[in-house]
């Protein structure tokens, strides 16, 4: 009778060990890193030198956000392409400070427990991580919620970065996309 609880505990420990291994993040394999800036800096830069803006909307407590930082954004090919084609912004959705964007002041919203800019960019659908793509005129092209691995993410950033989204749908684009890595 005493063996059953010990076996259950051992099984639970094995499960926890396996899960912690499954969720370990990998160190970047290159010195290439995304050049992260604020949304205010991205707005100023894009007014002088128009470029699309990539916004990573995250929270400090989000495990999938941390995985995306460690596994997706730190992939050398992804980082290089983001630096070439986009102004890359990290936006902590829950930040309490004011953000000035497009001549409007965005404040913290108690209702959403998030900054109003994050609420606006995500259309009130507060899911983390979510990546939002803005065009050169600072308008939302599309938001993409959820964790995305480096291979799939590379496909998505090329879809937006090379303006394929203006000509064909994503499903069609995927058929012709040649993986970079």
């Amino acid at each position: 009778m005493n063996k059953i609880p010990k076996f259950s505990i051992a099984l639970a420990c094995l499960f926890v060990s396996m899960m912690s291994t499954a969720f370990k993040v990998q160190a970047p394999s290159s010195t290439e890193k995304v050049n992260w800036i604020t949304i205010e800096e991205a707005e100023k830069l894009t007014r002088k030198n128009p470029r699309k803006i990539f916004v990573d909307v995250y929270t400090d407590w989000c495990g999938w956000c941390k995985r995306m930082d460690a596994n997706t954004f730190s992939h050398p090919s992804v980082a290089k392409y983001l630096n070439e084609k986009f102004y890359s912004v990290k936006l902590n959705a829950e930040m309490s400070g004011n953000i000035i964007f497009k001549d409007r002041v965005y404040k913290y919203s108690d209702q959403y427990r998030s900054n109003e800019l994050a609420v606006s960019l995500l259309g009130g659908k507060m899911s983390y991580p979510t990546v939002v793509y803005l065009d050169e005129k600072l308008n939302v092209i599309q938001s993409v919620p959820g964790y995305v691995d480096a291979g799939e993410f590379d496909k998505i950033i090329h879809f937006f970065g090379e303006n394929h989204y203006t000509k064909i749908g994503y499903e069609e684009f995927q058929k012709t996309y040649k993986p970079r890595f």
Side-chain angles (χ1 to χ4, degrees):
M1 190 114 169
N2 283 341
K3 291 184 181 184
I4 292 174
K6 288 180 183 176
F7 176 74
S8 296
I9 292 170
L11 190 58
C13 288
L14 177 63
F15 176 77
V16 169
S17 174
M18 288 171 42
M19 291 308 291
S20 67
T21 301
F23 286 101
K24 279 188 181 170
V25 292
Q26 300 170 356
S29 59
S30 170
T31 57
E32 185 81 41
K33 294 183 189 296
V34 176
N35 296 325
W36 297 108
I37 59 176
T38 66
I39 192 79
E40 292 96 342
E41 291 169 324
E43 179 178 8
K44 285 178 190 170
L45 287 169
T46 204
R47 291 194 190 281
K48 290 179 188 171
N49 182 23
R51 192 188 283 190
K52 288 179 189 62
I53 299 173
F54 156 82
V55 184
D56 172 33
V57 183
Y58 74 98
T59 64
D60 289 333
W61 52 262
C62 171
W64 289 108
C65 299
K66 292 174 184 169
R67 273 192 86 181
M68 226 161 140
D69 280 340
N71 297 333
T72 304
F73 301 143
S74 65
H75 190 285
S77 295
V78 167
K80 184 175 189 229
Y81 191 79
L82 284 174
N83 291 337
E84 289 172 1
K85 294 287 187 171
F86 296 88
Y87 294 121
S88 300
V89 171
K90 275 207 154 306
L91 178 65
N92 183 344
E94 297 178 330
M95 74 174 286
S96 58
N98 293 345
I99 299 171
I100 300 171
F101 183 66
K102 293 172 72 172
D103 299 320
R104 179 174 168 206
V105 177
Y106 292 88
K107 300 178 181 202
Y108 182 81
S109 165
D110 287 327
Q111 176 185 357
Y112 286 96
R113 289 191 256 167
S114 297
N115 189 284
E116 293 168 335
L117 179 59
V119 175
S120 176
L121 291 173
L122 302 184
K125 297 175 183 165
M126 309 313 287
S127 172
Y128 313 109
T130 295
V131 171
V132 181
Y133 297 90
L134 305 177
D135 66 17
E136 295 84 350
K137 295 182 180 177
L138 308 173
N139 299 311
V140 173
I141 300 169
Q142 187 171 336
S143 62
V144 180
Y147 174 82
V148 181
D149 66 33
E152 185 66 24
F153 190 77
D154 186 64
K155 197 182 317 179
I156 294 168
I157 59 177
H158 279 81
F159 178 68
F160 290 112
E162 296 168 10
N163 294 321
H164 294 287
Y165 73 96
T166 63
K167 302 171 208 129
I168 59 174
Y170 187 66
E171 285 184 23
E172 175 113 4
F173 171 74
Q174 290 184 82
K175 294 175 188 172
T176 61
Y177 176 77
K178 303 276 189 270
R180 308 296 195 264
F181 54 88

